Amino acid sequence: MSRYTRILLAVDLTDECEHVAERAVQLAQECNCELHVIHVLEPMSIAYGGDVPTDLAAIQGCVQEQAASQLQEFAHSIGVPSERQHLACGRTESEIRRVACEADADVIVVGSHGRHGLSLLLGSTANGVLNGARCDVLAVRVGSPAR
Amino acid sequence: MSRYTRILLAVDLTDECEHVAERAVQLAQECNCELHVIHVLEPMSIAYGGDVPTDLAAIQGCVQEQAASQLQEFAHSIGVPSERQHLACGRTESEIRRVACEADADVIVVGSHGRHGLSLLLGSTANGVLNGARCDVLAVRVGSPAR
């Protein structure tokens, strides 16, 4: 079996993703492979409901700009060059899977709270990515133990 | 961040688990860590419904004996000694998590079909393990691409 050649690290750019990133960086070093990083912005109409002011496009543009800047800063801090940084907009799980396919990643690294029930962002994202992923998925435990 | 020190590989002892095992063995070699293997038998009353003959215990004993033998053979084929082989009986996901805790594993490796909807054994097991796991979970893609 060949080693992993391309890792896609999915981050939400919160403090917790640093732990997940460390694991991805470590795996990339051990496998001597390419590390890509993705951050997904959910469309604002979904994120904030339908009652939004009419300057939605301007706000979305501003949010995207901020996210791009944060992603760039984060990616550089873990040594990922700009051509391997992916900022996507859409449904988190499907965008992660889409970019994983495009980048020909053989493993997706994503954080998981590992809790039942509550749809916490990372936990549900890990589950969502797992369902339908064409490649392996490493769910890295974040937060306190589940039980 | 420390490397993984103990891996728990969960197998259903079908042909597909060989691919999952290869990945676990590779990870164990790269991290130079202990590899444990677990196979879980679902209780027969759950697996076959309530209408079972009265010699259930005898049948269960026979099934357990066969599973133990298969697990031993499989584990030896990937170089896992008997003290790191775990045959459990109960709900697959919770038994995997329990043994992961007992063995102090920092990552569980499990196969996943990565499909939506249908409760295929490995897919649902990977999801179930992910929910509530105290450690990382590597879901290894088995079977044909999901979509």
Side-chain angles (χ1 to χ4, degrees), chain B residues 4-129:
Chain B
Y4 290 131
T5 54
R6 259 174 303 275
I7 296 172
L8 178 63
L9 163 66
V11 291
D12 62 359
L13 297 174
T14 64
D15 289 347
E16 283 183 330
C17 73
E18 287 183 16
H19 172 70
V20 185
E22 278 181 51
R23 188 59 80 192
V25 168
Q26 191 180 58
L27 189 62
Q29 287 170 346
E30 278 160 6
C31 301
N32 191 27
C33 70
E34 262 186 20
L35 180 58
H36 290 243
V37 62
I38 181 173
H39 174 64
V40 183
L41 284 170
E42 298 263 342
M44 293 191 73
S45 56
I46 293 175
Y48 301 108
D51 289 339
V52 287
T54 49
D55 57 350
L56 180 63
I59 297 170
Q60 179 102 25
C62 181
V63 168
Q64 272 191 342
E65 208 170 290
Q66 280 183 19
S69 165
Q70 285 175 9
L71 175 63
Q72 190 176 44
E73 190 180 340
F74 177 81
H76 278 165
S77 76
I78 57 168
V80 174
S82 47
E83 66 271 21
R84 296 190 212 142
Q85 299 168 15
H86 308 269
L87 182 65
C89 191
R91 199 173 145 257
T92 304
E93 297 88 332
S94 52
E95 285 303 299
I96 292 172
R97 290 197 300 259
R98 181 183 63 76
V99 171
C101 275
E102 283 180 11
D104 202 18
D106 34 29
V107 60
I108 297 166
V109 178
V110 65
S112 173
H113 280 107
R115 288 177 197 154
H116 266 299
L118 290 174
S119 280
L120 292 164
L121 178 66
L122 290 175
S124 61
T125 298
N127 265 312
V129 170

Side-chain angles (χ1 to χ4, degrees), chain A residues 7 21-32 35, chain B residues 1-4 31:
Chain A
I7 296 172
E22 278 180 51
R23 188 59 80 193
V25 168
Q26 191 181 58
L27 189 61
Q29 286 170 346
E30 277 160 6
C31 301
N32 191 27
L35 180 59
Chain B
M1 174 183 277
S2 61
R3 287 180 167 200
Y4 290 131
C31 301

Side-chain angles (χ1 to χ4, degrees), chain A residues 7 12 21 23 31 33 35-36 50 54 58 79 87 92-94 98 106 132 142 145:
Chain A
I7 296 172
D12 62 358
R23 188 59 80 193
C31 301
C33 69
L35 180 59
H36 290 243
T54 49
L87 182 65
T92 304
E93 298 87 332
S94 51
R98 181 182 64 74
D106 34 29
V142 290

